[in-house]
């Protein structure tokens, strides 16, 4: 499974006339702006700070807290146009931009939330795309889970396979259409 293709196919299922090329061009523009600002050599964390600046400050991506259950929050094309979404869709945008930059980031499907993980540095760190790219360490992720009345387990921090990310996107859509 491939995240970009799968996410775009899901969007195309609901919008058969979707211009896939336009979505890819938008992601390319975001990546291009990030590349302009990254000074190499830079650590993955430093490059993620640049992604944060571009995505959340320059482009204005943010979590849709006002209308969380809107099904459009789960569709990549609408997230790119409206610049708002839910944790999973915003993390997907983050991952697709990072992939274009050659960064090795992973999707992390927490119970009740979704974040991006980096496991290539000495200590792993996590990025909450729904909260404008805030960096979290392991203890902070566990605190987030506890705050949501979830007993954290080490396995919660493991990367989520792309297949499961796409399945979770489908489940979110079903739940949001029901709501």
């Amino acid at each position: 499974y491939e995240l970009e293709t799968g996410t775009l196919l899901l969007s195309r299922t609901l919008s058969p006339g979707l211009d896939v090329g336009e979505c890819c061009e938008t992601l390319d523009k975001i990546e291009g702006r990030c590349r302009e600002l990254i000074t190499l050599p830079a650590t993955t964390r430093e490059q993620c700070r640049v992604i944060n600046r571009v995505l959340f400050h320059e482009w204005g991506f943010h979590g849709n807290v006002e209308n969380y259950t809107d099904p459009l929050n789960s569709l990549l094309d609408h997230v790119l146009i409206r610049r708002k979404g839910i944790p999973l869709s915003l993390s997907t945008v983050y991952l697709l931009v990072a992939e274009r930059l050659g960064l090795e980031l992973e999707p992390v499907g927490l119970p009740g939330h979704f974040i991006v993980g980096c496991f290539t540095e000495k200590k792993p760190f996590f990025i909450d795309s729904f909260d404008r790219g805030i960096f979290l360490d392991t203890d902070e992720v566990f605190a987030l889970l506890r705050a949501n009345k979830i007993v954290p387990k080490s396995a919660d921090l493991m990367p989520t396979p792309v297949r499961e990310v796409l399945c979770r996107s489908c489940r979110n859509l079903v739940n949001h259409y029901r709501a």
Side-chain angles (χ1 to χ4, degrees), residues 22-38:
E22 190 175 310
C23 292
C24 294
E25 282 178 24
T26 300
L27 291 166
D28 290 343
K29 285 179 188 175
I30 296 168
E31 177 266 339
R33 176 63 177 144
C34 291
R35 199 170 292 283
E36 287 174 8
L37 298 174
I38 292 172

Side-chain angles (χ1 to χ4, degrees), residues 74-98:
S74 293
L75 302 172
L76 182 62
D77 56 322
H78 290 280
V79 172
L80 292 172
I81 292 166
R82 299 169 357 144
R83 299 182 183 171
K84 60 184 172 182
I86 57 174
L88 176 54
S89 60
L90 292 171
S91 292
T92 298
V93 170
Y94 203 103
L95 289 162
L96 296 177
V97 170

